[in-house]
């Protein structure tokens, strides 16, 4: 079999952990858990981190935990984030390490993020003489579901206390394995999840004048938001308003007294983010003037902004590991969002950076988008991620 790392500059001591990285990933892939409920996952990872020699900080009311390795009290602390949750879908990969939890699958590849962290952590603990920082790994719950506390909760609990710089990666099976993609500056969108509830007044369908039609009102608000995207935001500033769920009414011949909808808001700058949210709140208030009892709840997080110094550090490290044709250091930000932004913002001087790491392999026919089902990856890519983390900690 050809050597998948021929074009990459990986340490031989790390290559010896190839089996470890695959075994851990395959184990984690079989026990995917939903946001906030990552108990087996957290137990498995924390045990391995403890075995490797890390000091654990666990919390009573969440599955996230922190693993620290202090080598020299005078040194700065560097942190790496690994997210642990999976998605509410069946695993259609159909192989020997497919999900054993029906209706739950690692289709965002967070199993690989944990394995990369576990592998890098194991290497670092065994080779402390190479390190130049004290090291912390943050195993974070609930990245996927904005409604479940994730990075915000971990930051609140102190996961970023004393951290001078923080890094995270996300796999991307639409990119060839080992491709490192990141930007200086904005990396991901300002993202929010919203829930709209409209209560009107029911009446017979033949006498609309006696009721208040909640479906029509909710639709009107959603359509008005499309107008905001088209007419109130700067055409040079991307904006997304999406409604992915809509429910209302119970029988066909009555005026519906309730409608609910859920969706997403994305923007690439804080000003556009504010225009979208303020407009939405204004429409909700106007709805009340029309007699409806309307509420809207919107939760989200800011964009990941790669700090110029962290970007430069990452670039230098990546240049030493991956061939130049696998380096995309000035791409477009993704329209998706990431609560890792809250960790970056909580680090000293907001020094942090995130990058995508290709996990596809066209020669093996592996190329799919995040959240696709089935979601395949070429797990050879993981050692490249581990090597980048190791070099960041040792430079
Ligand atoms: Zn995802
Ligand atoms: Zn993800």
């Amino acid at each position: 079999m050809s050597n998948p790392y021929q074009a990459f500059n990986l340490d031989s001591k790390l290559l010896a952990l190839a089996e470890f990285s695959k075994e851990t990933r395959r184990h984690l892939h079989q026990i995917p858990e939903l946001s906030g409920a990552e108990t087996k996952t957290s137990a498995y990872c924390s045990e391995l981190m403890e075995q490797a020699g890390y000091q654990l900080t666990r919390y009573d009311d969440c599955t996230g935990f922190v693993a620290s390795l202090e080598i020299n009290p005078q040194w700065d602390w560097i942190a790496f984030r690994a997210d642990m949750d999976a998605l509410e879908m069946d695993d259609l990969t159909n192989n020997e390490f497919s999900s054993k939890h029906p209706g739950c699958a690692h289709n965002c590849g967070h199993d690989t993020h944990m394995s990369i962290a576990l592998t890098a952590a194991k290497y670092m603990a065994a080779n402390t003489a190479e390190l130049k920082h004290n090291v912390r790994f943050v195993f974070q719950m609930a990245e996927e579901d904005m409604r479940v506390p994730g990075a915000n909760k971990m930051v609140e609990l102190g996961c970023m206390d004393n951290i001078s710089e923080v890094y995270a990666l996300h796999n991307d099976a639409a990119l060839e394995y080992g491709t490192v993609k990141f930007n200086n500056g904005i990396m991901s969108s300002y993202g929010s999840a919203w829930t709209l509830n409209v209560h009107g007044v029911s009446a017979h369908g033949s006498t609309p004048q006696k009721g208040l039609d909640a479906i029509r009102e909710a639709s009107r608000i959603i359509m008005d938001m499309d107008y905001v995207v088209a007419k109130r935001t700067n055409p040079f500033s991307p904006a997304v308003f999406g409604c992915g769920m809509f429910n209302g009414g119970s029988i066909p011949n009555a005026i519906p007294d309730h409608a609910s909808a859920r969706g997403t808001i994305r923007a690439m700058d804080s000003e556009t983010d504010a225009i979208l949210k303020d407009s939405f709140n204004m429409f909700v208030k106007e709805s009340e003037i029309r007699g409806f009892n309307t509420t809207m709840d919107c939760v989200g997080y800011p964009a990941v902004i790669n700090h110029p110094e962290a970007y430069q550090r990452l670039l230098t490290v990546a240049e030493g590991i991956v061939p130049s044709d696998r380096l995309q250091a000035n791409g477009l930000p993704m329209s998706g969002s990431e609560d890792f932004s809250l960790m970056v913002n909580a680090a000293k001087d907001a020094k942090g950076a995130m990058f995508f790491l290709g996990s596809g392999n066209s020669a093996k026919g592996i190329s799919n988008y995040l959240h696709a089902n089935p979601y395949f990856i070429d797990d050879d890519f993981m050692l490249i991620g581990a090597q980048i983390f190791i070099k960041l900690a040792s430079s």
Side-chain angles (χ1 to χ4, degrees):
M1 215 175 101
S2 66
N3 174 8
Y5 306 117
Q6 210 158 22
F8 298 86
N9 187 11
L10 302 193
D11 194 296
S12 58
K13 298 195 289 294
L14 179 62
L15 291 172
L17 294 176
E19 265 320 295
F20 172 82
S21 72
K22 287 186 189 181
E23 266 168 35
T24 51
R25 187 254 160 172
R26 289 173 185 188
H27 178 82
L28 289 163
H29 195 85
Q30 291 175 61
I31 55 160
E33 294 167 294
L34 295 180
S35 302
E38 307 91 340
T39 40
K40 291 184 200 168
T41 306
S42 172
Y44 178 77
C45 291
S46 57
E47 199 184 314
L48 284 174
M49 292 300 283
E50 202 161 32
Q51 276 170 20
Y54 285 74
Q55 186 87 37
L56 297 191
T57 309
R58 288 194 182 90
Y59 308 104
D60 290 339
D61 55 349
C62 71
T63 52
F65 72 95
V66 161
S68 304
L69 183 68
E70 184 173 56
I71 298 147
N72 182 337
Q74 310 301 321
W75 287 359
D76 282 344
W77 283 85
I78 187 170
F80 301 96
R81 190 282 305 260
D83 39 9
M84 300 193 290
D85 53 339
L87 295 167
E88 196 170 355
M89 43 173 62
D90 285 319
D91 184 347
L92 303 181
T93 50
N94 226 346
N95 54 35
E96 72 276 18
F97 52 91
S98 292
S99 168
K100 288 185 174 147
H101 294 171
C104 195
H106 266 300
N107 285 26
C108 205
H110 295 182
D111 51 341
T112 68
H113 303 171
M114 289 182 276
S115 289
I116 288 169
L118 290 167
T119 306
K122 194 176 166 76
Y123 179 103
M124 291 181 202
N127 298 282
T128 51
E130 294 177 20
L131 301 182
K132 295 212 163 59
H133 305 259
N134 296 311
V135 180
R136 183 174 300 162
F137 284 87
V138 178
F139 285 80
Q140 181 211 315
M141 67 287 179
E143 191 282 324
E144 292 287 353
D145 189 340
M146 288 176 178
R147 288 161 191 281
V148 182
N152 52 344
K153 175 90 180 171
M154 298 290 294
V155 169
E156 201 181 289
L157 289 167
C159 76
M160 296 302 294
D161 290 357
N162 306 321
I163 295 298
S164 297
E165 54 187 311
V166 60
Y167 296 88
L169 62 77
H170 204 296
N171 80 98
D172 185 348
L175 293 171
E176 276 298 283
Y177 75 95
T179 302
V180 178
K181 188 178 168 200
F182 65 120
N183 310 320
N184 193 354
I186 189 161
M187 242 341 253
S188 67
S189 67
Y190 290 75
S192 303
W194 57 264
T195 303
L196 177 70
N197 269 294
V198 179
H199 290 273
V201 175
S202 62
H204 195 283
S206 65
T207 56
Q209 78 281 10
K210 294 181 179 169
L212 280 172
D213 186 335
I215 288 184
R216 192 180 186 288
E217 181 65 6
S219 312
R220 177 224 277 266
I221 294 171
I222 291 163
M223 299 297 278
D224 282 353
M225 284 304 292
D226 281 343
Y227 165 82
V228 171
V229 171
K231 298 292 179 190
R232 290 208 189 146
T233 61
N234 183 333
F236 294 102
S237 301
V240 172
F241 177 83
C243 173
M245 285 171 78
F246 194 105
N247 291 294
S250 48
I251 55 168
N253 55 351
I255 299 297
D257 63 352
H258 177 241
S260 66
R262 286 174 62 181
T264 190
I265 288 176
R266 306 293 162 119
M268 288 296 165
D269 57 80
S270 56
E271 203 185 347
T272 304
D273 187 48
I275 291 171
L276 294 168
K277 288 177 184 162
D278 292 350
S279 304
F280 207 168
N281 282 318
M282 189 183 74
F283 295 147
V284 167
K285 277 206 188 97
E286 286 174 0
S287 173
E288 288 184 17
I289 295 166
R290 287 192 289 276
F292 294 88
N293 180 0
T294 303
T295 56
M296 193 275 292
D297 150 73
C298 187
V299 287
Y301 26 79
V304 175
I305 312 278
N306 283 348
H307 187 280
E309 283 173 39
Y311 167 84
Q312 193 51 53
R313 289 244 296 127
L314 193 51
L315 180 61
T316 307
V317 162
E319 279 171 344
I321 296 169
V322 310
S324 55
D325 62 349
R326 304 254 170 128
L327 198 56
Q328 298 178 13
N330 260 316
L332 285 172
M334 66 161 175
S335 60
S337 50
E338 248 292 346
D339 64 358
F340 177 62
S341 57
L342 299 169
M343 292 191 190
V344 173
N345 293 350
K348 190 170 174 252
D349 302 324
K351 187 173 170 187
M354 181 174 181
F355 61 101
F356 283 97
L357 187 61
S359 54
N361 189 330
S362 50
K364 295 182 186 171
I366 300 173
S367 176
N368 31 230
Y369 293 113
L370 296 169
H371 295 204
N373 207 4
Y375 186 69
F376 292 103
I377 55 134
D378 180 357
D379 55 12
D380 283 334
F381 91 101
M382 294 189 295
L383 284 194
I384 300 161
Q387 184 71 77
I388 293 173
F389 281 179
I390 292 162
K391 285 289 173 196
L392 284 165
S394 55
S395 62

